[in-house]
Amino acid sequence: SGINAEYGDLTPIVIASCTRLCIICVVINSCGSTSNSLYLDMSSKSVEELCALLNDSDPNNRTLACLSLSNCNDVTPQIVEKVRVLLTDGDRLVRESACVALAKFKSPESVPMLLNTWRNDTISDVRSAAMQALQLIGTPEAQRGIEMVRMLKDEINKISAAVKESQEC
């Protein structure tokens, strides 16, 4: 009763943590690979369950499902599309995990949405994950987008330096 008085009822947190742990266990237990590869051979049932969790109401479950799918050996265009949709999710961790997954998928068809995320997301960690995904994917379109932003950043730095210099005079 002392813990409940000080910290309140932790039951919802424990249940949520157990749910996430169960998701991870389902993925690990259904893998057929015994190699040390970073990518997992998942059963189609596990992949279906993880894809279903991409639409879960809990953003933590969506994040974990996305990250789990990012380690899947057999990535289909349908999985890529389901993950790509998460770039517009309301939760920043879900958007960040989508960037990580798309980077691991090396999905060139995701470049336009990753560029949009990199340019427009309000959260710097999400923008950083999108940029890293673009660098890893490395298509000409991704490289052009990265170069455009670098050029703009250089020009802004020049203006900032000029303003600072004019204020010192």
Side-chain angles (χ1 to χ4, degrees):
S1 69
I3 290 177
N4 281 347
E6 189 172 343
Y7 297 105
D9 186 8
L10 297 177
T11 304
I13 295 169
V14 171
I15 290 171
S17 295
C18 289
T19 301
R20 287 188 286 281
L21 183 59
C22 288
I23 292 167
I24 294 168
C25 288
V26 164
V27 171
I28 291 171
N29 287 331
S30 64
C31 296
S33 176
T34 57
S35 71
N36 290 330
S37 172
L38 291 175
Y39 295 96
L40 305 173
D41 293 323
M42 296 183 202
S43 72
S44 60
K45 183 165 175 46
S46 295
V47 171
E48 287 173 24
E49 290 171 3
L50 288 170
C51 284
L53 283 170
L54 293 175
N55 298 317
D56 195 87
S57 62
D58 184 344
N60 292 318
N61 290 342
R62 293 193 306 276
T63 298
L64 281 172
C66 189
L67 291 174
S68 296
L69 285 168
S70 77
N71 293 312
C72 181
N73 256 339
D74 301 318
V75 178
T76 65
Q78 293 81 11
I79 292 173
V80 172
E81 181 56 30
K82 288 175 190 236
V83 170
R84 194 170 39 233
V85 168
L86 296 178
L87 289 174
T88 60
D89 193 275
D91 185 87
R92 78 163 188 97
L93 292 179
V94 175
R95 294 192 308 276
E96 197 171 344
S97 68
C99 291
V100 169
L102 293 169
K104 287 183 172 185
F105 297 160
K106 294 191 178 177
S107 168
E109 59 275 1
S110 300
V111 167
M113 285 188 75
L114 284 165
L115 282 168
N116 184 59
T117 299
W118 184 37
R119 290 178 174 170
N120 298 308
D121 202 282
T122 58
I123 306 295
S124 63
D125 288 342
V126 176
R127 290 191 309 270
S128 177
M131 181 190 185
Q132 290 173 15
L134 289 164
Q135 289 174 328
L136 188 60
I137 293 168
T139 63
E141 182 183 10
Q143 294 305 318
R144 280 191 303 275
I146 291 168
E147 185 57 31
M148 182 61 62
V149 173
R150 284 195 183 129
M151 287 181 357
L152 181 58
K153 191 174 189 179
D154 288 346
E155 292 302 315
I156 291 171
N157 288 338
K158 288 177 189 176
I159 291 171
S160 295
V163 168
K164 185 177 181 181
E165 187 178 305
S166 72
Q167 291 173 343
E168 290 174 356
C169 294

